Amino acid sequence: RKEVEQDPGPFNVPEGATVAFNCTYSNSASQSFFWYRQDCRKEPKLLMSVYSSGNEDGRFTAQLNRASQYISLLIRDSKLSDSATYLCVVIPATQYNNNDMRFGAGTRLTVKP
Amino acid sequence: NAGVTQTPKFRILKIGQSMTLQCTQDMNHNYMYWYRQDPGMGLKLIYYSVGAGITDKGEVPNGYNVSRSTTEDFPLRLELAAPSQTSVYFCASRITEGTSYNEQFFGPGTRLTVL
């Protein structure tokens, strides 16, 4: 089983739609979780951290389910500019160890007019 | 701030050639990383450094070498290039204090093809 697993998609949605992605992780001791966004042929950029209680940033909501070992990202009112690949990132250690960041392969989202 | 810069943007190598991928950051970050990203795969850590003069292997170090003589620069060296090293290479640096201490900042990447 991969350490961090994502549905590669693509998810094709119309503008204004709500879309959600999940990401599962295998290490139950994982402590820190993030969503990064990667535009086509560009570098990854931090979208948001994922907190235990769930957190929201504008149209984006991230949640953590420790019991089932997954995190989710919900995007409301999708915009054309949301088209990108969304990378799930997990840090398995209790303290950030420098080689511990584990990246999922990404979920591709295309928002159509 | 320019952030993290990488050169070259693209390169084609022949099997057995060598090259150095350059990475520079102007944010005074101590921690720097090299990743490779293959199509349909997550980023894999090649090498990392926690400060000038200190480097360590990541998940996929074979075929690569690094050095860190200054805080700003973290070059990645490929010796005897092989087709399996065809990939996109990203350099990153990390904040180590404050509320965003986990965030990694990535350079624009180097697309390398080995033929």
Side-chain angles (χ1 to χ4, degrees), chain A residues 4-11 20-24 35 85-86 105-109:
Chain A
V4 180
E5 205 145 7
Q6 297 182 250
D7 180 344
F11 285 64
F21 316 129
N22 280 348
C23 163
T24 57
W35 285 103
T85 296
Y86 291 85
T107 296
R108 203 167 108 224
L109 170 68

Side-chain angles (χ1 to χ4, degrees), chain A residues 12-37:
Chain A
N12 297 310
V13 302
E15 262 187 300
T18 295
V19 62
F21 316 129
N22 280 348
C23 163
T24 57
Y25 59 93
S26 60
N27 187 335
S28 60
S30 297
Q31 295 294 322
S32 300
F33 308 89
F34 309 89
W35 285 103
Y36 274 71
R37 172 195 167 123

Side-chain angles (χ1 to χ4, degrees), chain A residues 2-3 32-34 36 38 40-46 49 51 85 87 91 94 96-106, chain B residues 10 31 33 35 37 40-45 48-50 57-59 90 94 99-109 111:
Chain A
K2 289 183 185 175
E3 286 188 84
S32 300
F33 308 89
F34 309 89
Y36 274 71
Q38 186 173 23
C40 188
R41 301 177 79 82
K42 298 284 190 183
E43 72 272 23
K45 291 183 180 175
L46 180 65
S49 302
Y51 302 125
T85 296
L87 308 178
I91 299 178
T94 52
Y96 192 133
N97 201 358
N98 283 283
N99 60 349
D100 275 351
M101 212 174 220
R102 298 288 187 246
F103 287 79
Chain B
F10 306 93
Y31 293 7
Y33 308 83
Y35 293 91
Q37 186 177 34
M41 306 288 284
L43 278 76
K44 300 287 186 189
L45 183 65
Y48 65 96
S49 168
V50 300
K57 295 178 181 178
E59 194 179 351
F90 288 104
R94 181 166 77 90
T99 56
S100 300
Y101 74 97
N102 275 328
E103 181 175 0
Q104 291 197 7
F105 293 86
F106 287 83
R111 293 184 176 274

Side-chain angles (χ1 to χ4, degrees), chain B residues 7-102:
Chain B
T7 56
K9 286 188 167 50
F10 306 93
R11 184 74 185 267
I12 298 175
L13 281 183
K14 293 182 179 176
I15 294 172
Q17 286 185 318
S18 60
M19 75 165 292
T20 298
L21 283 67
Q22 301 291 346
C23 174
T24 300
Q25 53 93 9
D26 62 358
M27 298 175 282
N28 202 32
H29 290 171
N30 280 332
Y31 293 7
M32 295 186 74
Y33 308 83
W34 272 107
Y35 293 91
R36 59 177 287 172
Q37 186 177 34
D38 300 326
M41 306 288 284
L43 278 76
K44 300 287 186 189
L45 183 65
I46 304 171
Y47 270 94
Y48 65 96
S49 168
V50 300
I54 306 169
T55 62
D56 210 341
K57 295 178 181 178
E59 194 179 351
V60 290
N62 291 346
Y64 307 95
N65 273 303
V66 293
S67 60
R68 185 94 183 273
S69 55
T70 66
T71 298
E72 294 77 23
D73 300 307
F74 190 39
L76 177 72
R77 178 91 178 151
L78 277 73
E79 306 281 5
L80 298 174
S84 60
Q85 293 178 304
T86 293
S87 190
V88 181
Y89 292 83
F90 288 104
C91 179
S93 68
R94 181 166 77 90
I95 293 174
T96 54
E97 59 186 8
T99 56
S100 300
Y101 74 97
N102 275 328

Side-chain angles (χ1 to χ4, degrees), chain A residues 40-94:
Chain A
C40 188
R41 301 177 79 82
K42 298 284 190 183
E43 72 272 23
K45 291 183 180 175
L46 180 65
L47 178 66
M48 59 196 303
S49 302
V50 185
Y51 302 125
S52 297
S53 53
N55 49 300
E56 196 172 298
D57 183 0
R59 297 181 293 107
F60 298 84
T61 300
Q63 294 206 309
L64 167 64
N65 185 317
R66 283 194 187 275
S68 301
Q69 292 180 215
Y70 73 86
I71 66 172
S72 64
L73 178 68
L74 179 81
I75 305 175
R76 287 182 299 278
D77 188 24
S78 300
K79 312 287 185 197
L80 296 177
S81 57
D82 293 335
S83 297
T85 296
Y86 291 85
L87 308 178
C88 170
V89 181
V90 174
I91 299 178
T94 52

